[in-house]
Amino acid sequence: MLEADNLACLKGDRLLFRGLALRLAAGELLRIAGPNGVGKTSLLRLVSGLALAEAGEVRWKGTAIGRDREAFHRDLLYVGHAPALNDMLTPLENLQFTIAAAGDEADAESCMQALVRIGLANQLDLPARVLSQGQRRRVGLARLFLSARRPLWVLDEPFTALDVGAVEDLAGTLSDHCTAGGMVMLTTHQDAPFAMPPKVLDVGAFAC
Amino acid sequence: MLEADNLACLKGDRLLFRGLALRLAAGELLRIAGPNGVGKTSLLRLVSGLALAEAGEVRWKGTAIGRDREAFHRDLLYVGHAPALNDMLTPLENLQFTIAAAGDEADAESCMQALVRIGLANQLDLPARVLSQGQRRRVGLARLFLSARRPLWVLDEPFTALDVGAVEDLAGTLSDHCTAGGMVMLTTHQDAPFAMPPKVLDVGAFAC
Amino acid sequence: MASGSIDQDNRMNPSPRGPSVLRFAAPQNFYPLAGRLAPWFAVTAAVLTLIGLWLAFFVAPVDATQGNVYRVIFIHVPAAWMSMFIYLVMAFWSAVGLVMNTRLSFVMSQALAPTGAMFCFVALWTGALWGRPTWGAYWVWDARLTSQLLLLFLYFGFIALTRAIEDPRRGDRAGAIIALVGAVNVPVIYFSVKWWNTLHQGASVSLTKAPSMASTMLMGMLVLAFASWAYTLAVTLWRVRPMILERERHTEWVGAVLDREGGRK
Amino acid sequence: MLSTFFAVLRRDLLLAWRGRADVMVTLAFFVIVVCLFPFGVGAEPNLLRAIAPGVLWVAALLACLLSLHRLFAQDYADGTLEQLLLSSEPAVLWVLAKILAFWLTTGLPVVVVAPGLGLLLDLEQGALPVLVLSLALGTPILALLGAVGAALTLGVRGGGMLLALLILPLFVPVLIFGAGAVEAEASGTGALAHLLLLGGGLAGALALAPIACAASLRISTE
Amino acid sequence: MLSTFFAVLRRDLLLAWRGRADVMVTLAFFVIVVCLFPFGVGAEPNLLRAIAPGVLWVAALLACLLSLHRLFAQDYADGTLEQLLLSSEPAVLWVLAKILAFWLTTGLPVVVVAPGLGLLLDLEQGALPVLVLSLALGTPILALLGAVGAALTLGVRGGGMLLALLILPLFVPVLIFGAGAVEAEASGTGALAHLLLLGGGLAGALALAPIACAASLRISTE
Amino acid sequence: MMQWESWSAFWDMGGAGFFVWGSYGVTFAVIALELVLVLQRRKETVKRLLRWRRAVGKDGSGRAGARMES
Ligand code: HEM
Ligand SMILES: Nc1ncnc2c1ncn2[C@@H]1O[C@H](COP(=O)(O)OP(=O)(O)OP(=O)(O)O)[C@@H](O)[C@H]1O
Ligand SMILES: Nc1ncnc2c1ncn2[C@@H]1O[C@H](COP(=O)(O)OP(=O)(O)OP(=O)(O)O)[C@@H](O)[C@H]1O
Ligand SMILES: [Mg+2]
Ligand SMILES: [Mg+2]
């Protein structure tokens, strides 16, 4: 469903990779691998339409993503390095806003449940500013529980800063999403206990 | 050498932990463990003198750290969550400044070597802004190679964002520092291949 | 050869194999063309400048009311014209770039900006020096003067913005937007300032037009105006060339050009 | 369709309320700048009355300018802007919501306190309604134009100041007609023409600025 | 002992040089604010001449104020400040270095271009040296006092504006004596007393502000 | 030719020498400066790009990876 051909990414002076092709079909989990600085984050941003490729194109359901941006973004969930948290709002307010901004609907009740589910039951009323690193990360990831309808999840290092229990839990959630016919594309340097071994794409193989 | 008794940490209206005691002698590596939000970062900041404890005191070589702050800070190396990188400066300039600001001396040559050693040979001239997440982390950690003279290293999640090779390398460096009589105190949620198994302090045991 | 280069068609718009009119819009065709044309414009500019200066100082008679000071007009007016004209051309190229997505257009508008700012400064400077003996002040808040000053700020803003953004692709399009917004504002500024000044009727000076311009005077001004046209073209083409090289450095043809340049030394 | 619009509007107003200090302080800035002038130029009433419309308008403009950098900066830094750009709804909508929230929290308070300050500077009482009206029409234009500048300078080094350089020339016509209206009223010429022009400018800016702003944001986050 | 001082000074100047735009743009801001006034108050030369010292000084003050937020903000956000506070050398030293670098990159350019703008506003030529001198003595005071404010408002929501609110009252005396000196010279009274007061203020600020600033930084990062 | 009795009259411009020559002088100085900057920029760009090509390898890829001295 998600395909890319012949992608090239140029950053400043450096051509990070070229000729990169990828295919992601329903039910698949793709892990983008490679050492630091090889261009994993850059690839995810190309795929999600936040950046423009130097060459090549990304297609969703056969259409170039630039052609029908809104349809693509209706199907996409992207969680990047930056947590998209406003420091002055509580986790609940942040989550509700993120969902609404993405164009989805979610009542306070289900948002609250998602937060409790991810382990923030005691932090519901704190401003995000005082949360610990791992708690911040969790607020960002709580979206996953409310976005099952979006088939394509693109996650940049989702396991960072999470403790062991949370890593396990998240890996389970991702596996479930795939089992239900979704697609997940993620980067990580940690090993995570996925239900099935993920497909791996090594960006290093296309590096120049 | 580093001791703390009966430490308590209050954040807002929550008492994170109390009655926490720790001892760290030359050659020891202490890992602060505990789930997200238990207060590991808060503890490190207390120990390094960046924050004040609600109760209890931290002593370095028998003296309370607040009593002779400068002597303590001469022996301490603290690398926190924030990378202390200026986005407009190159890794080399950043490193040189950090070293000088800490009150040490280091010529450009040895700084360069430290950066090459940590795997940034190709990024020496880029502004830090364009570095990848892992590369930014590495710039912050390059200091370790130039701070062997400081006995006490306090590191908050040093392995975050590093790729597998770099994690191994860093674990080796930390083990070496301890072997040479230094002390390391760190937090991490990842397993790291230390030469000897670290002492573990579970903050959760003192949580209220 | 050059297996590392990126496909040309993807980088260049319109395609080099497109209709013949657009052929020169492809950077690798434009680069040598610019190199060939620039010296001719430069020579034209130099010759016209000499003729113009000769007309200005040796043919044009002394002005009855102003004496010799008026000779400033020969650079003042062409510079003022050029500064406004260049901004419009910049906005034009920016619009073309945004609509057709041609990188060369953005490069053109950025290459024009410093020259435009230069002429703008020259118009202000010469005007100020002219104003002292004629109005008794280096500066008055006259409508025309004021809008010229604001135009200089618009140029500075454009240049500062495109310089401050390192990623050229981002800088190109950000600059294009501000150039267009500025172009919409130039007439607004002009008329608002004009109205503002007539309303305040404070400074009762206005540009004292030379009563009836002697034909030699007009001649000199026109010749120097053409000289500044030719100069602008030459300098812009020269400035565009390294900018093209920089942006297209991943392509084969720039590699070939650089090898040639390197060999020459 | 409008859910993003209202979500953004609600959030930005909530944020302003949370950081109440912010709103108060924009206002305080406006008040203080105006009050600085008697210190700078001396306390002579005639002189103050003559420069009152200009000073009030310049102060309003500077207050707006000073707050502009925070229109998108926070959202840019924490990744919210990325998420908004990935929204499946048109960007123009939420851009407009952000600008509206910005004006409600910075422009509106200025409009409200301006008459008081006018009195302080001994402005003629008859000119006060025109002062309010001109600010009510003019400050939204400032917010709209300023938003384009703020979007373009996001993440650029020297951003705040660059923003000032970029948009001050654009603000000048607004300033001229705004201050001009008050002065015309004070001197008995009638301010209708000025106000009509401001209204026209507002309509134009309302139509074009959000589009330019949305495009700029896309460029800036790339 | 002085190694931290010079390391900080060198780095901050290097940063200013890297972001050259910054320095130019502070200047551009100063120039533009001064130029806004004629648009606001009208182009009458006599009126402009009367308000020139005040306008120039208010503009210099605002230019300084606008740049102040970036004195520590960046270092605070990226953790550099933490590291500086963990330095084994006294904080007053590097605080002074930061303030000095700040003045060199924002105050000094303003001092240099002020006479040109004075001419633009038709200020008497005899008063220009006094204008320069008063700015040269006054802007360092602004930088020193401002640094304390900037340190106190670090990481506080609505910081930028709060900063303005906190320090504008402190800036008022500087403004009064600075603008007063120019006005006194222009009106023939002689500016010596004003300038002496400014000099005294500078000495006082130089002695006290760095200590207060260092203490505030420690509080803000806790 | 016909209007200037002498060179000194020419330079004096009927008392307006400062203003006229100030205008022309600064104008041509600025133009000269612009030309110098443009030509210098070209040379510098070519040099930098050559160095860059050498650093990244002839094929324009980043593989060779030697650092660019700037
Ligand atoms: C800083 C001061 C000045 C500035 C910025 C300035 C600006 C301009 C501009 C923008 C134009 C072109 C207008 C057009 O083509 O419609 C112009 C034309 C002209 N200026 Fe100036 N000017 C200044 C001072 C002066 C002074 C002091 C004089 C003479 C007393 C003068 C005499 C003229 C004349 C005669 C023209 C030609 C008008 C025409 O072609 O319609 N200017 N100036
Ligand atoms: N202007 C530039 N000039 C040269 N190289 C650049 C420039 N901008 C970015 N880069 C390089 O591009 C790469 C960006 O990599 P990216 O962030 O995609 O890496 P990543 O694979 O996600 O790494 P990590 O595992 O550390 O997150 C980095 O190696 C960086 O040094
Ligand atoms: N004002 C406050 N009120 C209540 N709780 C607070 C307040 N400020 C901070 N906290 C809590 O204090 C804890 C801070 O924890 P800290 O950052 O030390 O955690 P950590 O152990 O480092 O976690 P992580 O593994 O996620 O980095 C968090 O649980 C946070 O929710
Ligand atoms: Mg990454
Ligand atoms: Mg932590």
Side-chain angles (χ1 to χ4, degrees):
Chain A
M1 294 270 253
L2 181 77
E3 297 164 302
D5 289 327
N6 199 21
L7 280 182
C9 175
L10 178 78
K11 288 266 175 153
D13 271 349
R14 221 181 113 198
L15 199 56
L16 289 183
F17 52 77
R18 81 181 121 78
L20 189 148
L22 64 83
R23 259 189 69 80
L24 187 61
E28 282 181 344
L29 196 158
L30 176 67
R31 175 173 161 202
I32 310 293
N36 287 143
V38 77
K40 301 181 294 300
T41 298
S42 311
L43 174 62
L44 295 192
R45 289 176 63 90
L46 288 187
V47 165
S48 63
L50 281 171
L52 288 179
E54 191 62 20
E57 76 173 358
V58 180
R59 283 186 303 279
W60 174 246
K61 295 181 177 166
T63 324
I65 57 169
R67 194 78 69 69
D68 190 356
R69 196 201 292 267
E70 298 187 0
F72 176 56
H73 284 165
R74 246 194 307 281
D75 289 343
L76 169 76
L77 174 82
Y78 173 83
V79 179
H81 266 304
L85 284 191
N86 189 294
D87 278 348
M88 248 145 68
L89 299 180
T90 66
L92 185 60
E93 288 161 345
N94 267 306
L95 181 60
Q96 269 192 288
F97 171 72
T98 318
I99 298 280
D104 290 348
E105 265 149 59
D107 51 312
E109 194 46 44
S110 50
C111 286
M112 189 114 81
Q113 272 163 15
L115 289 170
V116 171
R117 164 89 178 67
I118 209 161
L120 292 172
N122 294 333
Q123 277 76 30
L124 287 177
D125 293 327
L126 292 179
R129 170 172 25 100
V130 305
L131 296 183
S132 82
Q133 215 60 21
Q135 289 168 340
R136 293 173 70 85
R137 194 78 206 159
R138 287 173 191 226
V139 181
L141 293 171
R143 258 184 94 182
L144 299 183
F145 297 118
L146 300 168
S147 305
R149 265 174 319 158
R150 297 183 173 235
L152 177 63
W153 291 2
V154 175
L155 313 174
D156 199 357
E157 312 232 9
F159 300 113
T160 294
L162 294 184
D163 60 25
V164 186
V167 167
E168 225 158 89
D169 189 31
L170 177 60
T173 309
L174 298 185
S175 303
D176 291 351
H177 182 63
C178 290
T179 315
M183 289 165 247
V184 176
M185 184 169 168
L186 56 76
T187 66
T188 178
H189 296 295
Q190 281 172 266
D191 281 323
F194 295 114
M196 52 198 172
K199 255 173 73 169
V200 175
L201 175 84
D202 186 356
V203 180
F206 304 93
C208 326
Chain B
M1 292 269 253
L2 181 78
E3 297 164 302
D5 290 328
N6 198 24
L7 280 182
C9 175
L10 180 76
K11 288 266 175 158
D13 49 15
R14 208 178 129 205
L15 197 56
L16 288 184
F17 52 78
R18 77 179 125 78
L20 188 147
L22 63 84
R23 261 189 66 80
L24 187 60
E28 282 181 343
L29 196 158
L30 176 66
R31 176 174 160 200
I32 310 293
N36 287 142
V38 77
K40 301 181 295 299
T41 298
S42 311
L43 174 61
L44 295 192
R45 289 177 64 90
L46 290 187
V47 165
S48 64
L50 281 171
L52 289 180
E54 189 63 18
E57 78 174 356
V58 181
R59 282 186 304 280
W60 175 245
K61 296 181 176 164
T63 325
I65 57 170
R67 194 78 69 69
D68 189 356
R69 197 202 290 269
E70 297 187 0
F72 176 55
H73 285 165
R74 248 194 305 281
D75 290 341
L76 169 74
L77 175 81
Y78 173 82
V79 179
H81 265 305
L85 284 190
N86 188 294
D87 278 350
M88 247 145 69
L89 299 180
T90 66
L92 185 61
E93 288 160 346
N94 267 306
L95 181 60
Q96 269 190 286
F97 171 72
T98 318
I99 298 280
D104 290 349
E105 264 149 61
D107 50 314
E109 194 47 44
S110 50
C111 287
M112 189 116 82
Q113 273 163 13
L115 289 170
V116 171
R117 164 87 179 67
I118 209 160
L120 293 172
N122 294 335
Q123 278 76 31
L124 289 176
D125 292 325
L126 292 178
R129 171 174 21 100
V130 306
L131 296 183
S132 83
Q133 214 61 20
Q135 289 168 341
R136 293 174 70 84
R137 195 77 205 161
R138 285 172 193 230
V139 181
L141 293 171
R143 259 183 94 182
L144 299 183
F145 297 119
L146 299 167
S147 305
R149 265 176 317 158
R150 294 180 175 239
L152 178 62
W153 291 2
V154 175
L155 313 174
D156 198 356
E157 312 233 10
F159 299 113
T160 294
L162 294 184
D163 60 25
V164 186
V167 167
E168 226 158 88
D169 189 31
L170 177 60
T173 308
L174 298 185
S175 303
D176 291 352
H177 182 63
C178 290
T179 317
M183 287 164 249
V184 176
M185 183 169 169
L186 56 75
T187 66
T188 179
H189 296 295
Q190 282 173 266
D191 281 325
F194 295 113
M196 52 198 172
K199 256 174 71 171
V200 176
L201 175 84
D202 186 356
V203 181
F206 304 93
C208 328
Chain C
M1 59 162 241
S3 58
S5 309
I6 300 177
D7 306 347
Q8 308 245 325
D9 306 63
N10 244 311
R11 298 177 51 80
M12 268 156 267
N13 255 318
S15 142
R17 288 182 293 280
S20 61
V21 196
L22 290 179
R23 209 166 64 84
F24 287 120
Q28 77 269 45
N29 295 328
F30 187 77
Y31 179 83
L33 180 71
R36 250 176 289 129
L37 288 181
W40 291 103
F41 286 123
V43 169
T44 312
V47 171
L48 286 178
T49 305
L50 287 179
I51 297 176
L53 288 180
W54 178 70
L55 288 172
F57 284 109
F58 299 106
V59 178
V62 179
D63 185 73
T65 50
Q66 294 200 22
N68 278 311
V69 190
Y70 91 94
R71 289 182 203 276
V72 173
I73 200 174
F74 294 105
I75 40 179
H76 174 73
V77 172
W81 283 343
M82 278 321 280
S83 64
M84 288 183 281
F85 182 65
I86 289 179
Y87 198 89
L88 291 182
V89 177
M90 273 167 54
F92 168 77
W93 282 122
S94 298
V96 170
L98 284 179
V99 172
M100 318 244 297
N101 197 20
T102 46
R103 293 189 193 182
L104 193 53
S105 322
F106 297 124
V107 179
M108 277 305 281
S109 77
Q110 279 169 46
L112 279 164
T115 307
M118 190 274 288
F119 277 121
C120 202
F121 168 76
V122 166
L124 283 168
W125 178 265
T126 53
L129 280 184
W130 192 0
R132 182 67 217 217
T134 38
W135 304 334
Y138 285 106
W139 183 263
V140 294
W141 293 92
D142 171 83
R144 206 179 288 193
L145 278 58
T146 310
S147 34
Q148 188 79 3
L149 184 66
L150 289 172
L151 184 63
L152 187 67
F153 286 145
L154 285 176
Y155 273 117
F156 281 167
F158 177 86
I159 294 172
L161 183 67
T162 48
R163 294 261 162 102
I165 303 177
E166 276 123 81
D167 178 27
R169 217 163 33 172
R170 182 182 159 194
D172 280 354
R173 291 186 292 144
I177 287 187
I178 205 66
L180 284 175
V181 173
V184 172
N185 254 271
V186 166
V188 175
I189 288 174
Y190 183 74
F191 286 109
S192 62
V193 169
K194 203 169 166 115
W195 200 31
W196 159 70
N197 204 36
T198 49
L199 278 174
H200 289 286
Q201 75 336 80
S204 54
V205 265
S206 67
L207 287 188
T208 49
K209 292 217 172 103
S212 64
M213 234 179 255
S215 66
T216 42
M217 255 157 84
L218 188 62
M219 221 23 220
M221 239 165 64
L222 284 179
V223 169
L224 281 171
F226 282 117
S228 36
W229 269 61
Y231 169 80
T232 306
L233 281 166
V235 173
T236 308
L237 292 178
W238 271 327
R239 202 180 276 123
V240 154
R241 274 162 56 95
M243 288 171 83
I244 292 181
L245 288 186
E246 196 131 8
R247 275 143 208 261
E248 303 283 317
R249 68 188 146 207
H250 287 277
T251 56
E252 295 173 25
W253 72 268
V254 169
V257 168
L258 285 176
D259 287 341
R260 230 177 304 134
E261 296 275 340
R264 202 182 290 163
K265 273 179 203 146
Chain D
M1 183 67 175
L2 282 179
S3 83
T4 315
F5 180 89
F6 285 114
V8 170
L9 184 62
R10 190 170 328 115
R11 184 187 88 127
D12 278 16
L13 291 178
L14 176 66
L15 276 174
W17 177 246
R18 260 319 126 76
R20 240 153 317 179
D22 251 36
V23 179
M24 291 315 294
V25 172
T26 309
L27 244 178
F29 178 81
F30 177 61
V31 174
I32 293 181
V33 170
V34 172
C35 295
L36 275 183
F37 267 87
F39 295 117
V41 303
E44 204 190 335
N46 283 332
L47 185 60
L48 284 181
R49 194 173 314 124
I51 64 172
V55 167
L56 283 166
W57 254 93
V58 169
L61 195 153
L62 288 175
C64 171
L65 190 68
L66 270 176
S67 333
L68 263 179
H69 76 102
R70 69 156 201 255
L71 179 51
F72 299 113
Q74 186 56 41
D75 292 346
Y76 177 74
D78 67 20
T80 304
L81 205 56
E82 252 171 26
Q83 293 296 341
L84 281 170
L85 286 169
L86 289 175
S87 165
S88 44
E89 307 204 352
V92 178
L93 282 182
W94 56 260
V95 166
L96 206 58
K98 281 200 88 71
I99 299 176
L100 178 58
F102 176 76
W103 181 76
L104 287 175
T105 52
T106 61
L108 192 57
V110 164
V111 175
V112 172
V113 302
L117 291 176
L119 280 181
L120 213 65
L121 292 184
D122 212 12
L123 192 64
E124 233 178 273
Q125 301 220 358
L128 292 181
V130 175
L131 175 67
V132 172
L133 203 58
S134 72
L135 283 171
L137 287 170
T139 48
I141 310 185
L142 298 185
L144 285 160
L145 292 178
V148 180
L152 283 173
T153 53
L154 266 186
V156 173
R157 34 176 211 207
M161 286 294 183
L162 187 56
L163 172 61
L165 177 60
L166 277 183
I167 57 180
L168 274 178
L170 308 182
F171 280 8
V172 164
V174 183
L175 174 62
I176 289 176
F177 291 122
V182 186
E183 220 150 315
E185 184 68 25
S187 66
T189 330
L192 191 65
H194 287 92
L195 292 176
L196 283 179
L197 278 167
L198 278 179
L202 178 55
L206 209 49
L208 296 177
I211 301 174
C213 187
S216 311
L217 285 174
R218 232 175 252 294
I219 292 169
S220 292
T221 48
E222 184 166 295
Chain E
M1 184 65 177
L2 282 179
S3 84
T4 314
F5 180 88
F6 285 113
V8 171
L9 184 63
R10 190 170 328 113
R11 183 187 89 127
D12 277 17
L13 290 178
L14 176 66
L15 276 174
W17 176 245
R18 256 325 122 74
R20 240 157 314 185
D22 251 37
V23 180
M24 290 314 295
V25 171
T26 308
L27 245 179
F29 178 81
F30 178 62
V31 174
I32 293 179
V33 171
V34 171
C35 295
L36 277 183
F37 271 90
F39 297 116
V41 304
E44 204 186 337
N46 285 331
L47 185 60
L48 285 179
R49 193 173 314 124
I51 64 171
V55 168
L56 283 166
W57 254 94
V58 170
L61 194 153
L62 288 175
C64 171
L65 191 68
L66 268 180
S67 331
L68 263 179
H69 75 103
R70 68 159 198 255
L71 179 51
F72 298 114
Q74 186 56 42
D75 292 346
Y76 176 72
D78 67 20
T80 304
L81 205 56
E82 253 172 24
Q83 293 295 342
L84 281 169
L85 286 169
L86 289 175
S87 166
S88 45
E89 307 203 353
V92 177
L93 281 182
W94 56 260
V95 166
L96 204 58
K98 282 199 88 72
I99 298 176
L100 178 58
F102 176 76
W103 182 76
L104 286 175
T105 52
T106 60
L108 192 57
V110 164
V111 175
V112 171
V113 302
L117 292 175
L119 278 181
L120 217 62
L121 293 183
D122 215 11
L123 191 66
E124 233 177 274
Q125 301 218 358
L128 292 182
V130 175
L131 174 67
V132 171
L133 202 60
S134 73
L135 282 171
L137 288 169
T139 49
I141 310 184
L142 299 185
L144 285 159
L145 293 179
V148 181
L152 281 173
T153 53
L154 265 186
V156 173
R157 32 178 212 204
M161 283 295 187
L162 186 57
L163 171 61
L165 189 56
L166 267 183
I167 58 181
L168 272 179
L170 300 181
F171 280 10
V172 165
V174 183
L175 175 65
I176 292 178
F177 291 121
V182 186
E183 221 150 312
E185 183 69 25
S187 66
T189 331
L192 191 65
H194 289 91
L195 291 177
L196 283 177
L197 278 168
L198 279 179
L202 178 55
L206 209 49
L208 298 177
I211 301 173
C213 186
S216 313
L217 285 174
R218 230 175 255 292
I219 293 168
S220 293
T221 49
E222 182 162 295
Chain F
M1 270 165 263
M2 35 302 261
Q3 31 189 317
W4 308 106
E5 283 107 48
S6 65
W7 280 109
S8 62
F10 180 67
W11 296 124
D12 186 51
M13 277 287 153
F18 170 71
F19 302 106
V20 174
W21 298 120
S23 300
Y24 280 79
V26 168
T27 303
F28 285 101
V30 178
I31 287 179
L33 182 71
E34 192 187 16
L35 285 171
V36 168
L37 287 179
V38 164
L39 297 181
Q40 208 178 320
R41 162 135 188 224
R42 170 174 173 71
K43 262 194 226 133
E44 187 237 318
T45 306
V46 169
K47 228 193 303 173
R48 189 155 40 85
L49 288 184
L50 276 172
R51 210 162 1 135
W52 171 75
R53 269 178 77 73
R54 240 176 284 125
V56 299
K58 273 269 163 162
D59 63 353
S61 72
R63 186 45 122 197
R67 86 190 180 89
M68 273 180 64
E69 53 279 70
S70 52

